[in-house]
Amino acid sequence: MGEQATRAVTVSVLVPVLDEERHLREAVADMLRQNLDEPVEFLFLDGGSRDRSRGILEQIASEDPRVRVLDNPARRTPQALNLGLAAARGTYVARMDAHTHYPVDYLSQGVARLRRGDVVSVSGPQLAVGDGSWSRRVALALSTPLGTGAARFRRPALEEQDIASGFTGLWRRDVLVAAGGWDEAWRNDQDSELAARLRKQGGRIVCLPAMAATYRPRDSLSALFAQYRRYGWYRVKTSHRHPETLRLSQLLPPALVLAVPLAAGGPRWSVRTARAALAAYTAVLMGTATTRVRDVGVREAAALPPVYGVMHAAYGLGFLSACLRLGPPVRAVSALLRTCGPGGG
C-alpha cells in the first residue's frame, strides 16, 4: 500500500457515488478496463450510500490497488469532486459517473488530446441508452433536437467540435486547482459553471466523437420531472453569474409554462398568442412522435409527447421558481437578445 500511495500517477479518476447499487459493479468494471498504459487511480467518493454501494466499492478496492474509497459527508456532487481533487495525485483529472459506461480508450483519448495542447477540457458525446420502460422512452426523446435543445454534446458527432460545456471529461489537475475546483454552491450544473469560468480565462473546451459515453436516463416520469426542475433552477443561477451561457432554447420551456395561464384568460391579444403558441407546441410534439412510429412502433412513439411535456414543463417551472427566488437573469436575457437581434450574428 505504501508503494502504491507514493507511485507517480498519470490520471486520477473521480467518481461521486450515492446509492448506485443497481449498476455499480458493471460500471466500475468498465472503468477499470481503461486501456491507458500509464498509472491510473480511481477515487470513489461515497456520499453515505444507504444501499450496498459502499460494500461493493470496498470489496473492489480490496482486490484492485488502483481503487480508493473516500467519504463525502456533504452527500453532494461538487463537494465530492473537490474532495477527490484534493486527494488526487494525477497530472490529469477525469470525472466519471457511476451510472455511465465509457469506451475503453476514454482516458487514453482524453490524455492524448490534452497533451496536444490548445484545450483545457476534453470529453465525448453524452448518449442516452434506456434499460427500463420509461428510461427507453426518455432515451428516445433525447435522441431528437426537441429533447436535447442546444446541447451539442448530447448528440453523436463525426469530428471534434468546440462546445460551451461537456459531459464529465478530463482536465489537467493544475488547471482545476488554479480555477478553484467546482463551486459547491452549484448542486447541479456545476460542470457548466466550471466550464464558463475556464472559457472566460481563454480556455477551449472540445468534444471528441471517440469518447462518446452512454448513460441510463431516469426510469419514471416523476424522477424525470424532479431532474429537469433542478436543471431549470440552476440554469437561472448559472445565468446570473455567467450571462453569456444563456441560450434561446433555454427560454422556451418557461415561456410555454407562462402560456398556459395566459391562454386561459387575460387581454385578448395575449390569449390568442398563448393559445397559438400552445397549439404550435402540441403540433410539434405530435409531429415528432409520428416520425418515430416506423422506427419504434406506435406504443413507444405515443409515449414521446408526455416525456417531452414533463421535461419542458419541469424545466420551465424550475426556471420560473428560480426567477422568483433569485430574480430573473436580466443581463443574460439582454445579452442574448443583442446576439439574436439585427446585426448580432
Side-chain angles (χ1 to χ4, degrees), residues 11 23 62 96 98 119 138 170 190 195-196 198 210 240 253 298-299 308:
V11 181
H23 301 293
S62 71
M96 287 184 166
V119 300
V138 174
L170 286 86
Q190 64 275 155
L198 295 177
H240 273 294
V298 173
R299 182 175 180 179
Y308 288 130

Side-chain angles (χ1 to χ4, degrees), residues 112-288:
R113 185 62 187 88
L114 288 172
R115 282 174 173 164
R116 280 171 49 198
D118 81 1
V119 300
V120 296
S121 175
V122 58
S123 58
Q126 179 190 18
L127 307 178
V129 177
D131 67 344
S133 296
W134 283 106
S135 181
R136 288 194 302 270
R137 293 160 182 166
V138 174
L140 180 62
L142 290 169
S143 70
T144 68
L146 194 59
T148 59
R152 297 171 66 191
F153 68 87
R154 286 183 175 268
R155 299 189 287 270
L158 298 177
E159 58 185 6
E160 178 179 308
Q161 56 183 339
D162 287 82
I163 53 176
S165 176
F167 172 63
T168 61
L170 286 86
W171 307 259
R172 285 189 58 90
R173 182 180 182 277
D174 56 3
V175 168
L176 287 177
V177 171
W182 287 267
D183 194 312
E184 296 183 0
W186 262 254
R187 184 176 179 179
N188 287 89
D189 208 33
Q190 64 275 155
D191 284 339
S192 177
E193 194 284 324
L194 171 63
R197 280 185 278 133
L198 295 177
R199 291 199 317 276
K200 284 180 176 178
Q201 296 168 6
R204 183 181 170 213
I205 300 170
V206 297
C207 179
L208 301 186
M211 292 176 65
T214 60
Y215 77 103
R216 296 178 175 88
R218 301 298 196 272
D219 196 25
S220 73
L221 291 182
S222 60
L224 184 69
F225 183 92
Q227 178 187 23
Y228 273 76
R229 192 175 189 277
R230 290 194 300 270
Y231 285 172
W233 206 97
Y234 278 90
R235 172 37 46 199
V236 173
K237 187 177 177 72
T238 302
S239 298
H240 273 294
R241 177 175 288 183
H242 306 290
E244 75 284 357
T245 63
L246 186 65
R247 299 290 178 264
L248 181 62
S249 60
Q250 295 162 344
L251 294 178
L252 297 180
L256 284 168
V257 171
L258 289 174
V260 174
L262 287 176
R268 182 175 300 177
W269 68 267
S270 67
V271 171
R272 287 199 301 265
T273 302
R275 289 178 178 175
L278 292 174
Y281 176 67
T282 301
V284 170
L285 294 188
M286 300 307 295
T288 302

Side-chain angles (χ1 to χ4, degrees), residues 12 14 85 88 91-95 169-173 176 182:
S12 297
L14 314 184
L85 179 60
T91 302
Y92 303 95
V93 168
R95 173 181 175 179
L170 286 86
W171 307 259
R172 285 189 58 90
R173 182 180 182 277
L176 287 177
W182 287 267

